[in-house]
């Protein structure tokens, strides 16, 4: 039994020993990685666990025999045999515990290496310093609401998303402000309302409605408060799937991509759930200075948040996932999240009138910071959606039927 476990340790140690050297080429980090050597030894691991369970079964059988022999042996002999059984059981338990701890350490090391590879693939490590649209460092403060407005659909529509068009193609933007309500059970929707300017939005006049699915249960319908209007398209979580949909406002075409990962959560499997769960908020689509993102959780990452970078290819008319990072932040332990300059920020519930930004994960470095304490005021308890807009550095919240906007400071 001991030899089997030592062999497993030797194999896993070899798996961790790989060193990969990168080369600087055209201001990019280029490295060739053979990720197959990182493959988790599932079969060997399960074999060892089976051996442990077999030993436990033998111990249980031996304990039963001790009970039978109790009437046949004197007390001294029985106590001696019982002590040996207890000692052997304790030894097996220690070996099993050490084995599980080692496996967890290996998994964490592989997650760290995978995140480093993803960060190295195409995003310069100091891209926030190079990008003229991004600030160096994290958000330092968030203002009180600079916009407070009741949803044009009324207070009864407690879930949805809203904001300002996140990608400005020209100064005379056709669709500027938008609202996407979840009309069926506060979970599903199929319409989008847009306003050409801020004045029309505040007055709830001169709007245009789009219907991107014929019903609430159509495959192209939206599920959960996850949408963002980026350029001329609305991006959102497709109905009861692990897909992100793209609805083109000009052509009315819907394209989709399936998010990567083992056991991607959808249909209320991994919603934002700190104190007050917002139904079916499994897949959160965000936009920032670097492009489009999807925030979600997977069984493979133990329910922790996963970040995927989305890219729309205008030539091939396809939506693609180009890179993916795994965090150690349990999705159900946060109330919402958003992206700024490639950094994911997560919030938690403080009280009925305040949230707090407490965590950040930087995709450019793979590093995380859980020491933040940035207050975020609100007017009602539940936060349906939270998103950042790179065109004006504002954060938009759909707060139990109220539409709030804040200014982010760096």
């Amino acid at each position: 039994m001991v030899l089997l476990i030592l062999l497993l340790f030797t194999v896993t140690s070899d798996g961790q020993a790989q060193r990969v050297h990168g080369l600087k080429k055209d201001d990019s980090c280029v490295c060739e990685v053979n990720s197959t050597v990182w493959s988790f030894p599932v079969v060997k691991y399960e074999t060892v666990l089976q051996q442990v369970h077999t030993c436990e079964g033998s111990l249980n059988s031996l304990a039963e025999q001790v009970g039978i022999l109790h009437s046949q042996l004197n007390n001294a002999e029985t106590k001696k045999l019982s002590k040996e059984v207890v000692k052997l059981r304790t030894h097996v338990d220690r070996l099993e515990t050490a084995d599980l701890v080692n496996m967890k350490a290996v998994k964490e090391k592989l997650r760290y290496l995978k995140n480093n590879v993803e960060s190295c693939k195409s995003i310069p490590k100091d891209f926030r310093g190079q990008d003229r649209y991004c600030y160096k460092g994290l958000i330092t403060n968030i203002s009180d609401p600079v916009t407070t407005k009741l949803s044009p659909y009324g207070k009864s529509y407690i879930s949805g998303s809203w904001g300002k068009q996140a990608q400005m193609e020209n100064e005379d933007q056709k669709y500027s402000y938008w609202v996407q309500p979840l009309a069926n059970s506060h979970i599903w929707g199929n319409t989008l309302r847009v306003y050409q300017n801020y004045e029309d939005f505040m007055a709830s006049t001169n709007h245009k409605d789009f219907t991107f699915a014929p019903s609430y249960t159509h495959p192209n319908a939206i599920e959960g408060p996850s949408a963002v209007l980026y350029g001329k398209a609305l991006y959102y979580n497709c109905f009861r799937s692990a897909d992100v949909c793209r609805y083109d406002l000009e052509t009315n075409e819907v394209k989709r991509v399936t998010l990567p990962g083992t056991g991607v959560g959808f249909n209320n499997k991994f919603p934002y759930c700190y104190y007050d769960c917002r139904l079916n908020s499994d897949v959160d689509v965000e936009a920032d200075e670097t492009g489009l993102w999807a925030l979600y959780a997977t069984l493979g990452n133990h329910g922790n948040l996963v970040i995927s970078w989305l890219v729309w290819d205008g030539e091939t008319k396809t939506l693609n996932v180009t890179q993916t990072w795994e965090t150690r932040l349990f999705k159900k332990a946060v109330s919402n999240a958003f992206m700024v300059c490639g950094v994911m920020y997560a919030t938690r519930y403080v009280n009925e009138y305040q949230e707090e930004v407490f965590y950040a994960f930087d995709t450019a470095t793979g590093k995380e910071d859980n020491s933040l304490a940035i207050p975020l005021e609100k007017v009602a308890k539940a936060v349906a959606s939270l998103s950042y807009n790179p065109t004006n550095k504002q954060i938009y919240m759909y707060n139990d039927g109220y539409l709030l906007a804040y200014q982010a400071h760096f």
Side-chain angles (χ1 to χ4, degrees):
M1 182 61 196
V2 175
L3 289 177
L4 285 172
I5 293 177
L6 289 176
L7 178 59
L8 180 59
F9 288 168
T10 302
V11 172
T12 55
S13 296
D14 291 343
Q16 295 182 69
Q18 186 191 26
R19 299 177 64 89
V20 178
H21 298 281
L23 298 176
K24 185 175 181 182
K25 183 178 179 181
D26 298 329
D27 295 326
S28 299
C29 176
V30 179
C31 53
E32 183 175 351
V33 179
N34 180 12
S35 61
T36 59
V37 299
W38 298 344
S39 298
F40 189 74
V42 176
V43 176
K44 294 180 181 179
Y45 179 47
E46 291 180 346
T47 301
V48 173
L49 285 183
Q50 184 61 44
Q51 293 287 342
V52 172
H53 294 155
T54 301
C55 286
E56 289 181 340
S58 299
L59 286 173
N60 292 333
S61 178
L62 183 58
E64 292 178 1
Q65 296 179 35
V66 169
I68 296 174
L69 292 173
H70 182 75
S71 60
Q72 302 176 2
L73 301 174
N74 60 48
N75 289 337
E77 291 175 328
T78 302
K79 289 180 179 178
K80 182 178 180 181
L81 184 58
S82 297
K83 288 181 180 179
E84 291 298 323
V85 171
V86 172
K87 186 182 298 184
L88 183 57
R89 177 180 289 279
T90 301
H91 182 61
V92 171
D93 288 343
R94 287 177 178 174
L95 288 175
E96 184 177 16
T97 300
D99 186 48
L100 291 173
V101 170
N102 183 68
M103 292 303 99
K104 290 180 179 179
V106 171
K107 286 183 178 180
E108 178 58 26
K109 182 65 175 179
L110 294 181
R111 185 195 69 83
Y112 174 76
L113 292 173
K114 178 178 178 294
N115 281 348
N116 278 357
V117 171
E118 291 297 317
S119 299
C120 181
K121 276 165 62 175
S122 62
I123 301 180
K125 285 196 171 183
D126 59 344
F127 79 97
R128 286 193 309 282
Q130 296 178 354
D131 193 326
R132 63 188 179 91
Y133 297 110
C134 283
Y135 294 92
K136 291 183 178 180
L138 302 176
I139 291 177
T140 58
N141 184 43
I142 299 174
S143 73
D144 292 338
V146 295
T147 299
T148 302
K149 183 183 184 299
L150 187 64
S151 167
Y153 295 91
K155 193 176 179 181
S156 61
Y157 288 78
I158 62 172
S159 194
S161 49
W162 83 286
K164 185 175 183 289
Q165 192 171 26
Q167 184 187 42
M168 304 297 288
E169 298 176 347
N170 52 64
E171 292 297 327
D172 186 24
Q173 200 69 45
K174 187 175 182 180
Y175 307 120
S176 186
Y177 287 83
W178 59 276
V179 181
Q180 200 292 303
L182 297 181
N184 188 309
S185 303
H186 311 303
I187 297 175
W188 299 287
N190 64 341
T191 61
L192 169 70
R193 176 166 294 183
V194 297
Y195 301 88
Q196 189 165 349
N197 53 58
Y198 183 75
E199 290 73 21
D200 288 344
F201 162 72
M202 291 300 294
S204 297
T205 59
N206 300 325
H207 64 265
K208 182 176 181 179
D209 290 333
F210 293 85
T211 300
F212 48 85
S215 70
Y216 297 133
T217 58
H218 189 273
N220 290 340
I222 187 173
E223 178 163 323
S226 65
V228 61
L229 185 61
Y230 189 77
K232 61 180 181 180
L234 182 74
Y235 295 82
Y236 57 91
N237 182 206
C238 317
F239 178 78
R240 287 189 177 174
S241 72
D243 295 355
V244 171
C245 277
R246 178 189 187 274
Y247 168 70
D248 193 305
L249 274 64
E250 295 184 352
T251 65
N252 295 319
E253 291 182 322
V254 175
K255 300 290 185 178
R256 62 174 64 210
V257 64
T258 300
L259 295 172
T262 302
V264 176
F266 64 93
N267 198 24
N268 211 41
K269 192 166 192 174
F270 292 118
Y272 289 127
C273 205
Y274 190 98
Y275 183 76
D276 184 62
C277 298
R278 185 49 54 144
L279 295 177
N280 296 61
S281 56
D282 299 76
V283 179
D284 184 2
V285 185
E286 298 288 336
D288 68 359
E289 289 84 353
T290 65
L292 287 162
W293 304 86
L295 312 179
Y296 56 101
T298 65
L299 288 175
N301 197 35
H302 314 293
N304 296 327
L305 271 161
V306 175
I307 306 170
S308 283
W309 200 13
L310 306 174
V311 174
W312 168 251
D313 190 326
E315 294 184 2
T316 62
K317 304 296 181 183
T318 58
L319 184 60
N320 306 293
V321 176
T322 60
Q323 292 172 247
T324 298
W325 296 260
E326 295 179 343
T327 78
R328 295 182 293 180
L329 182 64
F330 190 53
K331 189 171 185 291
K332 285 188 174 182
V334 305
S335 57
N336 227 283
F338 57 95
M339 297 293 300
V340 181
C341 289
V343 177
M344 184 193 74
Y345 293 87
T347 62
R348 60 187 172 195
Y349 178 93
V350 176
N351 56 51
E352 186 173 351
Y353 301 108
Q354 189 179 88
E355 298 279 309
E356 180 183 69
V357 177
F358 74 101
Y359 173 92
F361 180 92
D362 190 349
T363 60
T365 63
K367 295 181 179 179
E368 55 190 346
D369 187 339
N370 57 9
S371 64
L372 303 181
I374 305 172
L376 187 62
E377 302 298 324
K378 56 185 180 178
V379 298
K381 183 175 69 171
V383 177
S385 63
L386 198 61
S387 61
Y388 168 81
N389 190 295
T391 67
N392 57 7
K393 313 297 181 186
Q394 289 191 358
I395 298 170
Y396 295 90
M397 177 191 292
Y398 198 109
N399 182 205
D400 269 347
Y402 289 95
L403 311 181
L404 309 178
Y406 313 80
Q407 192 67 49
H409 299 284
F410 300 84

